[in-house]
Amino acid sequence: MLRFLPLKLGRLYRCLKLLFVIGLFVILLMNTHNLFASFQKNELTDRRFINLNKCPACFGTSWCRKFMNGQISFETWGRLRFLDVFNVKNVFFAQYGEPREGTRRIVLKRLGSNQELTDIDQKICKRATGRTRCDLIQAMYKTEFARLNGDVRLLTPDVVEGWSDLVHCPSQRLLDRIVRRYAETKDSGSFLLKNLKDTERMQLLMTLAFNPEPLVLQSFPSDEGWPFAKYLGACGRMVAVNYVGEELWSFFNAPWEKRVDLAKQLMDIAEQLTNNDFDFALYLLDVSFDNFAVGPRDGKVIVVDAENVVVADKRLIKQNKPENYDVWYESKFEECDKEACLSFSKDMLCSRVTVDHNYYAICQNLLSRYAVWRGSSGGLLHDPPPHIAKDGQLEVLLDECANPKKRYGRFQAAKELREYLTQLSSTARQRLRHHCQNPPVSHWRLT
């Protein structure tokens, strides 16, 4: 009976997609007038649409000139406002044009659902006036976001600890890095908070509390080799990031060699975010096929949703030496009936030097047989070729990485899995190179 469960879930998913398409067609017929109006107007030049009118209760203004000049426009489907009901995450694809560089695709994010954005407005008003509605701009100056005025020299852990995952356990070194690399100011490069304007300080703190993803992308930029999408800028409550490519889910049924390469990169990301020269451990708390994308040219895997990332400063942990700080921490495997679920303790992630969380998250939710997404199971490395399946090594390593049977088994399994995937990927590239250099010869008989 259980054997047919993935099949039934797959059929259910396809039926839901069909119903979605039919519903979309009906909505199109009902909104014909609005349809033509949407294509004639570039709403990204509208201050109210991008919530520029709510600043400093916003995410920044560094890209406002580009928005106001019409250099950014929604792609076809993004222009249809009645489709926003399906776009719960408020993520849009757009075209960005420069006179000398031409146009390119970018991603626009509101960093939250409409309800979440409304909630933050109401919280700001309530803290300032006791009411849920107010003059938002005036209210910002009466909240904790304005408490750090020009007399405050540094952004310190005691002020922002626990505001979001990024600062669940912040060190002074991390906060200095965040301020120094803050991109929504013309005078970036200084870790002194007093060098920011009042509005810039409030925007930074607002972002840190509501959704710190832009600050993760700025503090750990792709230009320096971190596996995150490139941050471009913001205007009001619309943030622009570089378009990476198709989501990882699009490669679930790709050729085996491609999936092996992607799996190897995912394990490399887990290693890089756990152990690096900067002694910052970045733990991914939300790992799913939708939160990674693959570059169309270089095939590089990138994290495209960095909202839920805990950053632990290993140097601070070694310095403070909390209880059992030097004991290896093993994440606990727990089966659940939901997609992309993980078990973790943020406090433990913040108090141990050696942690296996990232290996656990990647193996369980993306690579192993425990991975379930959109009605499909088996993980990215499902259905290996017969000779690999017969060997059994891959299955053993994936199982031990996701659900270890030995103490500290995941650490060793992750290391061996990276090595094994590197070997498989290298073998696949050699075969491809040999095939290209020695293409099959067709024998034609002249008559």
Side-chain angles (χ1 to χ4, degrees):
M1 181 67 181
L2 293 175
R3 187 180 302 172
F4 297 104
L5 186 58
L7 182 60
K8 291 181 179 179
L9 289 175
R11 288 176 178 173
L12 176 61
Y13 179 65
R14 287 192 291 272
C15 290
L16 290 175
K17 283 203 301 184
L18 178 61
L19 289 174
F20 172 79
V21 172
I22 294 173
L24 184 60
F25 180 71
V26 172
I27 293 174
L28 283 172
L29 292 178
M30 296 172 62
N31 290 270
T32 305
H33 175 73
N34 294 334
L35 181 65
F36 289 109
S38 297
F39 281 101
Q40 293 173 346
K41 180 182 179 182
N42 184 358
E43 291 179 299
L44 293 175
T45 61
D46 185 337
R47 295 171 60 91
R48 297 186 67 83
F49 179 78
I50 60 177
N51 291 153
L52 181 57
N53 61 309
K54 293 189 176 183
C55 288
C58 67
F59 309 128
T61 58
S62 64
W63 258 40
C64 282
R65 181 173 295 181
K66 301 178 188 298
F67 275 85
M68 295 300 108
N69 288 346
Q71 291 176 254
I72 306 166
S73 59
F74 284 127
E75 291 187 351
T76 307
W77 294 107
R79 297 183 183 184
L80 306 179
R81 296 279 62 79
F82 61 87
L83 293 181
D84 288 348
V85 66
F86 301 110
N87 189 6
V88 179
K89 291 186 177 182
N90 276 326
V91 177
F92 308 90
F93 296 109
Q95 290 291 321
Y96 163 59
E98 282 284 358
R100 296 181 180 180
E101 300 177 6
T103 60
R104 60 188 173 100
R105 198 181 204 191
I106 63 172
V107 178
L108 301 179
K109 299 183 176 185
R110 289 193 188 274
L111 300 183
S113 66
N114 292 337
Q115 186 59 53
E116 289 170 333
L117 291 165
T118 299
D119 289 345
I120 192 67
D121 289 348
Q122 292 178 351
K123 287 179 182 178
I124 291 171
C125 286
K126 200 155 189 178
R127 289 177 185 177
T129 68
R131 302 186 304 273
T132 56
R133 284 191 172 188
C134 67
D135 183 326
L136 198 61
I137 297 176
Q138 294 299 319
M140 277 291 286
Y141 287 89
K142 300 178 182 179
T143 65
E144 64 269 33
F145 299 134
R147 185 171 58 187
L148 301 180
N149 55 36
D151 297 329
V152 179
R153 184 170 178 268
L154 297 174
L155 182 63
T156 54
D158 60 294
V159 175
V160 298
E161 184 175 359
W163 279 19
S164 60
D165 288 336
L166 175 60
V167 288
H168 183 79
C169 51
S171 65
Q172 189 60 55
R173 188 166 70 102
L174 173 63
L175 295 181
D176 288 348
R177 185 183 182 95
I178 290 172
V179 175
R180 186 172 63 249
R181 292 166 178 256
Y182 185 51
E184 293 302 319
T185 174
K186 293 181 180 179
D187 299 320
S188 60
S190 171
F191 62 87
L192 296 177
L193 197 64
K194 67 178 184 178
N195 288 346
L196 299 180
K197 298 177 182 177
D198 289 344
T199 54
E200 293 170 345
R201 278 193 297 274
M202 285 188 276
Q203 288 165 5
L204 187 154
L205 295 174
M206 162 85 173
T207 307
L208 192 60
F210 180 71
N211 184 336
E213 179 178 5
L215 301 178
V216 174
L217 305 188
Q218 295 166 34
S219 302
F220 303 95
S222 60
D223 293 344
E224 296 178 8
W226 294 96
F228 298 110
K230 183 177 181 179
Y231 180 82
L232 299 176
C235 185
R237 290 184 175 176
M238 195 71 83
V239 167
V241 299
N242 194 43
Y243 171 74
V244 174
E246 291 188 54
E247 60 187 25
L248 182 63
W249 175 248
S250 301
F251 296 85
F252 188 80
N253 290 313
W256 171 252
E257 292 77 12
K258 180 65 177 179
R259 288 185 282 131
V260 166
D261 176 63
L262 297 178
K264 173 189 174 297
Q265 291 189 60
L266 287 167
M267 291 301 294
D268 288 344
I269 288 174
E271 174 65 23
Q272 179 187 5
L273 295 183
T274 304
N275 301 302
N276 51 71
D277 294 337
F278 300 95
D279 276 340
F280 284 119
L282 286 71
Y283 298 116
L284 304 175
L285 305 187
D286 186 6
V287 175
S288 71
F289 282 91
D290 283 354
N291 291 345
F292 296 82
V294 181
R297 295 182 180 177
D298 56 10
K300 189 174 182 180
V301 178
I302 295 293
V303 180
V304 292
D305 189 338
E307 176 183 359
N308 303 112
V309 177
V310 165
V311 179
D313 189 335
K314 291 186 178 183
R315 293 182 190 175
L316 183 65
I317 297 173
K318 293 175 184 177
Q319 177 183 320
N320 292 342
K321 298 182 179 180
E323 184 180 1
N324 295 324
Y325 79 98
D326 55 350
V327 177
W328 289 13
Y329 178 70
E330 296 179 283
S331 299
K332 185 179 179 181
F333 171 83
E334 287 187 8
E335 286 194 74
C336 68
D337 56 357
K338 298 180 181 179
E339 297 180 334
C341 58
L342 294 172
S343 172
F344 54 82
S345 165
K346 295 180 188 178
D347 291 337
M348 295 303 290
L349 298 179
C350 289
S351 60
R352 300 291 182 93
V353 175
T354 307
V355 178
D356 66 359
H357 172 82
N358 284 332
Y359 313 127
Y360 154 65
I362 295 295
C363 284
Q364 174 170 306
N365 283 4
L366 299 179
L367 303 185
S368 72
R369 61 189 174 93
Y370 300 103
V372 178
W373 193 249
R374 296 186 185 177
S376 296
S377 60
L380 188 64
L381 294 175
H382 65 88
D383 299 319
H387 67 283
I388 293 177
K390 184 178 180 180
D391 174 73
Q393 185 178 359
L394 178 61
E395 183 179 0
V396 169
L397 291 174
L398 286 173
D399 275 2
E400 189 68 11
C401 183
N403 184 14
K405 305 299 185 295
K406 305 174 185 176
R407 189 182 185 189
Y408 303 138
R410 184 179 287 121
F411 291 98
Q412 184 62 29
K415 178 178 179 295
E416 293 182 15
L417 180 59
R418 287 182 67 214
E419 294 172 351
Y420 186 66
L421 291 173
T422 300
Q423 177 186 339
L424 290 179
S425 183
S426 176
T427 302
R429 283 197 298 270
Q430 289 175 2
R431 287 178 179 175
L432 179 61
R433 191 179 301 116
H434 177 77
H435 179 79
C436 293
Q437 292 174 350
N438 303 280
V441 178
S442 297
H443 299 281
W444 293 88
R445 179 176 298 176
L446 296 177
T447 56

